[in-house]
Each structure stands twice: as C-alpha cells, then as structure tokens.
Amino acid sequence: MKEVFDFLKSAGTYYLATVEGDQPRVRPFGTVDIFEDRMYIQTGKSKDVSKQLAANPKAELCAFKDGTWLRVCGELVSDDRLEAKAHMLDNYPELKAMYSADDGNTQVLYFKNATATFSSFTAPPKTVTF
C-alpha cells in the first residue's frame, strides 16, 4: 500500500471514477492519506461524488507519472471519525480554508478490497492488493 500511496503523492493528481446510475463519472482528485494502515481519500458530503459512492461504493482511480500509470479499484468506505478527518486535514492544511473535521461536510473514505496495478508500455504489470 505504501508504494501506491507514494506514487499517488508524487503524481499529484489522480482521477477518480464512480457511477451514477448507468453513467460513469470521472473527476480529478489530489488527496491521499494513510491512517491506521488504510489508504484514504477526501471529499465533501455535499458533492455528487459522495452521493454516488453512497449509492455504489465501487470506484476506481487512475494516475500517470513518468511513463507509468496506476489503477486502483475497490470499494470506498466512509469513516466518520473525527480523528480520521483531522489526520487528512493535517496533511493537507490548504484544505482547512474549506473544510474542518467537525463541519458535517468533510468526508474521508478508505479503500477496502483494493487491487492496485502499476502498468507501462515497457514493463510487465505489477499488482498490489490491500
């Protein structure tokens, strides 16, 4: 999982895919955190992505850096604990202008049953599960 986290941090931006009914939805994200041996992302409960994940927690993200791309698929599970939210926001202090751990809007989600695949045109794929 640490290798996946490090890749996402260094890539800076990744794209998260969810579904809304039968329509795929993709948007850029930049938050990733490890808390209590789980990999988390962050969003706001008022956003469509939060509603999509509540209806169907299956998601996939993709990032690209230096000729390698990473795809992570699994389920995203919401964690409403203040400690998890505060940990994320402490690692992204720029978000504190928009979010706080106790604002009722901040949402952190961790990957469950995740499969991460590193791919490139020059090397065989490498898969990590967590």
Side-chain angles (χ1 to χ4, degrees):
M1 179 176 47
K2 175 88 165 74
E3 184 179 9
V4 172
F5 170 79
D6 290 342
F7 187 93
L8 292 171
K9 283 293 278 188
S10 65
T13 301
Y14 60 89
Y15 296 87
L16 181 71
T18 59
V19 292
E20 185 174 52
D22 66 350
Q23 178 63 49
R25 301 290 183 191
V26 180
R27 79 280 294 150
F29 267 69
T31 54
V32 62
D33 191 22
I34 292 180
F35 178 68
E36 296 181 346
D37 296 320
R38 292 179 173 153
M39 191 175 80
Y40 283 77
I41 66 170
Q42 183 274 334
T43 191
K45 289 181 180 179
S46 64
K47 294 184 177 183
D48 288 344
V49 66
S50 176
K51 295 169 183 68
Q52 292 156 6
L53 289 168
N56 182 349
K58 292 181 181 180
E60 185 162 318
L61 65 78
C62 184
F64 183 82
K65 184 185 89 137
D66 299 330
T68 299
W69 60 95
L70 168 66
R71 291 176 41 211
V72 181
C73 65
E75 295 176 44
L76 283 168
V77 178
S78 187
D79 185 341
D80 277 333
R81 294 177 300 152
L82 289 178
E83 299 85 358
K85 296 174 188 180
H87 194 273
M88 175 68 79
L89 294 173
D90 287 345
N91 285 289
Y92 290 90
E94 64 276 15
L95 292 177
K96 290 182 178 183
M98 298 181 297
Y99 297 101
S100 68
D102 61 355
D103 64 7
N105 182 42
T106 298
Q107 183 176 32
V108 293
L109 307 105
Y110 64 87
F111 269 97
K112 175 182 170 185
N113 302 321
T115 300
T117 305
F118 294 90
S119 301
S120 75
F121 290 117
T122 59
K126 176 182 175 182
T127 301
V128 177
T129 58
F130 55 94

